[in-house]
């Protein structure tokens, strides 16, 4: 839908209008965000360039699929000088 947008809450999605999720899928949202419907945002405003991005230096980039599956053990590898640092 034209009014489905991602945010850290409904108020965030409705006020930023930055990340559309037209199919309503969580996979379209950045990490930590959910897809909310019936926001005052309209995807046509992004396409036509009439939306107001919250950060003038950043442009909306469509989300991509993660490079690793959710259960991939490599998601739990961390770097550091020692165990506590990692």
């Amino acid at each position: 839908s034209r009014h489905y947008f991602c945010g850290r809450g409904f108020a965030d999605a409705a006020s930023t209008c930055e990340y559309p999720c037209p199919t309503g899928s969580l996979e379209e949202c950045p990490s930590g965000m959910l897809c909310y419907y019936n926001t005052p945002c309209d995807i046509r405003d992004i396409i036509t360039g009439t939306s107001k991005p919250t950060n003038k230096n950043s442009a909306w980039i469509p989300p991509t699929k993660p490079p690793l599956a959710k259960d991939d053990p490599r998601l739990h590898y961390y770097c550091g000088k020692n165990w506590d640092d990692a």
Side-chain angles (χ1 to χ4, degrees):
S1 172
R2 294 187 345 239
H3 302 284
Y4 287 31
F5 279 77
C6 305
R8 299 198 187 281
F10 180 84
D12 180 51
S15 65
T16 62
C17 303
E18 190 171 6
Y19 300 103
C21 48
T23 68
S25 171
L26 266 179
E27 293 178 354
E28 296 175 293
C29 296
S31 179
M33 293 186 177
L34 299 174
C35 185
Y36 294 91
Y37 69 95
N38 203 24
T39 69
C41 311
D42 192 325
I43 196 169
R44 293 180 299 182
D45 294 337
I46 290 176
I47 294 168
T48 61
T50 58
S51 66
K52 299 178 185 176
T54 57
N55 182 348
K56 293 180 182 177
N57 295 326
S58 68
W60 178 76
I61 300 171
T64 60
K65 295 216 181 262
L68 302 174
K70 290 180 183 179
D71 59 348
D72 192 307
R74 292 176 290 174
L75 292 174
H76 302 285
Y77 295 168
Y78 301 96
C79 298
K81 296 177 184 177
N82 56 44
W83 181 259
D84 291 331
D85 186 42

